[in-house]
Every structure is written in C-alpha cells, then in structure tokens.
Amino acid sequence: MIFRLLLVLGAACCALPAAALTIRPDREDAEYLELSSKYPAAIRLRGAGEGVLVAPRWILTSASTVRKLREAKVPALAVGSREFEVLEYFLHEGLGLVALKKDVKDIPFTPLFRGANEEGQTVVLVGHGGDGRKRASINTIDVVSTQALGMRIKPLTEASDLQGMLTPAETGAPIFLQIGGDLTVAGIASGTDGTRETYERVSAFSLWIEATMVEVGRKEAEALLGANRTE
C-alpha cells in the first residue's frame, strides 16, 4: 500500500520492512545501510523513537520521544553496546534532551549546528525504523522558518542519488549537515505527511540546549563540593 501511494504521489521512494526509512526503488538497500555507518552518533531509542548524541552524555531528540520515555519511566537507554542510566529528561518546544549519568566513550558525538544558512543545503537523514537497521538518506532543505526546517520528497527525475523518506517511527531522527570539514546536527525529525518532512531547527534552540547542559553541570559541581565539605 505504501509503495502504491508513493507511486501515485510521484515520490522517489519504495517501502522497506514495516515502519523503516523508505528508499528509492532503483537503489539497493545496502547503499543506504553503508552510508549510515558514517554517522555513529545517530542512535535508536527503543520503543520511543530516534535520537543523536550531541555531547558525551547528552542525547538530543524530539519532545514527543522524551514524553514517551518519561511516561514509561525508562531508567536506562542502550547506546551502542552498553546501557546507560538516565539522569534526567528535559523538554522545550518541539525538542527533548536526555541527560545520562555517565559519558558515552565508545561512540563519538556530533556537535550542534549554530549557523543560519540551512536553506539549500544538502543534509543526511539517519534513522532505524521498525526493523532496527540503521539507514541514511540524502535530501535538500528547501524551507527554513524561525524554528523549523522543511524538505520535499522529490520525484525520481529530481531526487538525489540516495533520497529517502522519513516515517512516523523515526520521529526524533537527526539530519546531519557538513559544511567544510565540520559535521553537525542541523535538525530533529518532528513529522511527515508522505510528501514533505518537518524538522525542529537545532540552531534556533542551541542556546537552550547549551544552557541546560551547563545548568546540570553546575548543580552536579555544587553537590560534589557540598559533599566534600561535609566529609
């Protein structure tokens, strides 16, 4: 059914296993799987959505994903091959942050994009979908608003070589933007209608993200200092 719908819409994708990132019908799935290996910071938050490691113990995702995790009282998350205890969940507008109790040392994080020139830029979407296998696809940002980024799913005649399409299961998935030699996280997936995709604009929320990280660090330093004084 998904495949027929995409044909009717003229989109350049076909359906993979249930709720997985959809890909071009004229490209091999292996190409999307291989591309994803270049983005280790993109992680799957099992049962809730997707996320991305933006600092050694900080996961950026969507607000809806954090709500699911918080309501389920998830005490720990799998990042790579290990489980990490959750320190705290944070929400702001359409974004969510997860603070872990310990640093993730075996997976490199990707920093935030802080620029203002996203329109027209080529980005890479990375998600796992229902089958749990990480895939990456390529598209171009064509709409930029104060707090959101938008991308159109193009027909085959216009699509990038490895265009893919977001599914609802991949809410919270990151889009990566590389300018020069610097790889950054530019957006967090918030929704799709099958023809257009919407992402929370990371640059618009970078001050909140950084302030939240600093505040947690400050409280921990004060608690440690207080504990040392009582010894």
Side-chain angles (χ1 to χ4, degrees):
M1 169 132 356
I2 295 176
F3 181 59
R4 292 196 187 106
L5 176 59
L6 291 175
L7 284 176
V8 171
L9 293 174
C13 302
C14 71
L16 286 171
L21 186 74
T22 54
I23 68 173
R24 288 178 58 138
D26 58 344
R27 293 292 182 271
E28 294 293 330
D29 189 27
E31 297 180 77
Y32 291 83
L33 294 168
E34 181 181 359
L35 179 60
S36 72
S37 66
K38 299 178 181 179
Y39 305 91
I43 58 175
R44 184 188 187 198
L45 304 176
R46 288 177 301 197
E50 307 276 332
V52 58
L53 201 65
V54 294
R57 63 182 182 121
W58 287 90
I59 298 170
L60 181 63
T61 183
S62 66
S64 61
T65 298
V66 162
R67 290 190 188 98
K68 289 179 183 178
L69 293 168
R70 192 168 62 182
E71 289 169 5
K73 298 180 180 179
V74 174
L77 293 171
V79 183
S81 59
R82 297 178 54 199
E83 292 275 334
F84 290 83
E85 287 187 79
V86 174
L87 174 68
E88 196 170 350
Y89 293 112
F90 300 90
L91 288 169
H92 182 70
E93 304 287 342
L95 285 181
L97 272 172
V98 182
L100 304 175
K101 289 186 178 181
K102 294 183 178 180
D103 289 358
V104 177
K105 297 180 179 180
D106 57 344
I107 296 177
F109 69 88
T110 301
L112 309 173
F113 179 72
R114 296 177 176 83
N117 58 332
E118 298 100 327
E119 188 170 359
Q121 297 285 355
T122 298
V123 292
V124 176
L125 164 66
V126 183
H128 296 74
D131 67 352
R133 302 184 71 190
K134 183 188 286 188
R135 295 176 176 85
S137 63
I138 300 170
N139 206 337
T140 305
I141 296 170
D142 64 351
V143 173
V144 177
S145 65
T146 303
Q147 297 184 346
L149 304 173
M151 293 193 294
R152 179 172 66 95
I153 306 303
K154 304 176 186 69
L156 286 175
T157 54
E158 301 175 29
S160 65
D161 193 49
L162 288 179
Q163 179 176 266
M165 188 176 74
L166 183 74
T167 70
E170 287 149 335
T171 299
I175 50 173
F176 294 91
L177 170 60
Q178 185 159 350
I179 297 181
D182 298 323
L183 183 66
T184 60
V185 178
I188 295 294
S190 57
T192 178
D193 64 3
T195 58
R196 294 203 64 85
E197 299 171 353
T198 304
Y199 297 81
E200 300 298 322
R201 188 182 183 189
V202 167
S203 62
F205 299 101
S206 60
L207 291 180
W208 170 76
I209 295 168
E210 291 168 346
T212 302
M213 293 178 180
V214 169
E215 180 64 12
V216 168
R218 183 188 66 78
K219 288 181 179 179
E220 289 179 329
E222 288 180 352
L224 181 60
L225 183 61
N228 290 335
R229 284 174 177 171
T230 59
E231 292 180 356

